[in-house]
Amino acid sequence: MAKLGKNAPNEQEGKETVEFFKDLDREALNTERFLEKYSKQLGIVFGVLVLGVLGFFAYKQFVVAPKNVEAVKSFLAAQKKQTEGKDKEALGGKSAANPGFVGTYNDYSGTKVGELSAYNAGLLKFKEGKFQEAYDLLDKFSSDNKTLVALKYGAMADAKSGLNQNDEALSLLDKASTASDDPYTTYYFTRKAGIVALGLKKNAEAKKYFSAIDEKYQDYDNGMSDSYIEMTKYLN
């Protein structure tokens, strides 16, 4: 058997290195051929991507930004009417000259101001006693502000109560009681949910709400939760 010389391992490593670089050359060549072959298609794809990015920024700058400005103007005009006690004009929605909150929502529903207009319009519809319309408008509103979301659910619950749909109202109040991190907001809607549950003779649920108040929100309740918990034992 032939003996391997002292330099055999180095020679072997050298061969492997050469093969490795040959492979790299082949891969590079394949890549070049691929790019050569599909350069036109790749150029089109790249162009589409660039146009997409440019289009997005143009849309934000020339469409969304002006739209937001117009939405704010419309909202502030409606809000001014409301502060003047002109609720019908603040509600609007009957003419382009006076869009009000309803018109602002219809025209700018894709903006945050548009959604806030729906919320305000919903409250005014509730004030008019048009509970289903109020509920539908309030349902259009969304926000990253958890307290505003809790207030939305609370107002929707009031609309459902106005429609004598108290089971749905209780469900919405339950959502309102857990939507916010603000302790007073949580207390307020937990207490309201408990009172509605009592009215529906759902004593176990009522006790759950008032017990939560007793444990966490005594500072706001002045001991009233104890009285309500006692009531759940006797109401049938």
Side-chain angles (χ1 to χ4, degrees):
M1 177 182 287
K3 293 184 179 179
L4 291 173
K6 290 182 180 178
N7 294 326
N10 292 335
E11 289 174 5
Q12 184 64 27
E13 288 176 10
K15 287 179 181 177
E16 290 175 358
T17 303
V18 169
E19 288 301 319
F20 173 75
F21 281 108
K22 281 182 179 178
D23 288 341
L24 279 184
D25 287 340
R26 278 193 291 271
E27 286 300 318
L29 186 60
N30 288 338
T31 303
E32 285 172 12
R33 285 175 179 167
F34 175 82
L35 292 174
E36 225 174 77
K37 185 175 181 180
Y38 296 104
S39 59
K40 187 175 180 180
Q41 292 90 330
L42 289 170
I44 292 169
V45 171
F46 180 73
V48 169
L49 289 173
V50 169
L51 286 174
V53 171
L54 291 175
F56 171 76
F57 284 112
Y59 175 76
K60 294 284 281 186
Q61 183 173 355
F62 298 112
V63 178
V64 174
K67 198 172 184 181
N68 280 330
V69 170
E70 292 304 314
V72 169
K73 286 181 183 177
S74 186
F75 176 84
L76 290 176
Q79 194 174 53
K80 184 174 182 291
K81 298 291 185 184
Q82 188 176 13
T83 56
E84 292 170 351
K86 301 174 181 177
D87 286 354
K88 285 188 179 296
E89 291 179 38
L91 189 59
K94 294 183 178 179
S95 72
N98 179 44
F101 290 126
V102 171
T104 303
Y105 168 71
N106 289 336
D107 293 339
Y108 306 104
S109 58
T111 67
K112 290 294 183 185
V113 176
E115 289 190 15
L116 187 58
S117 296
Y119 177 83
N120 283 15
L123 295 180
L124 288 174
K125 286 288 186 181
F126 180 84
K127 196 173 175 181
E128 288 183 350
K130 296 177 180 177
F131 302 123
Q132 188 59 56
E133 289 181 51
Y135 178 89
D136 292 340
L137 283 163
L138 290 164
D139 196 32
K140 307 292 185 186
F141 175 69
S142 63
S143 175
D144 295 330
N145 185 304
K146 293 179 180 179
T147 300
L148 284 178
V149 172
L151 292 173
K152 163 196 166 175
Y153 286 134
M156 289 171 72
D158 288 342
K160 283 295 184 182
S161 289
L163 293 165
N164 293 317
Q165 297 173 1
N166 292 310
D167 285 304
E168 289 89 338
L170 180 58
S171 177
L172 286 161
L173 286 170
D174 187 72
K175 287 184 178 181
S177 71
T178 57
S180 174
D181 295 329
D182 176 63
Y184 183 79
T185 304
T186 301
Y187 154 73
Y188 176 79
F189 287 118
T190 301
R191 180 175 178 274
K192 199 165 180 177
I195 292 170
V196 171
L198 276 178
L200 291 169
K201 296 183 180 180
K202 295 185 176 183
N203 293 353
E205 288 187 50
K207 186 176 180 180
K208 177 190 74 173
Y209 292 121
F210 292 123
S211 295
I213 292 171
D214 194 47
E215 291 170 17
K216 301 175 184 177
Y217 306 109
Q218 287 185 359
D219 292 345
Y220 302 114
D221 200 51
N222 298 319
M224 287 297 294
S225 56
D226 291 335
S227 301
Y228 284 119
I229 290 170
E230 198 64 24
M231 287 173 66
T232 64
K233 297 176 183 177
Y234 303 107
L235 290 176
N236 295 313

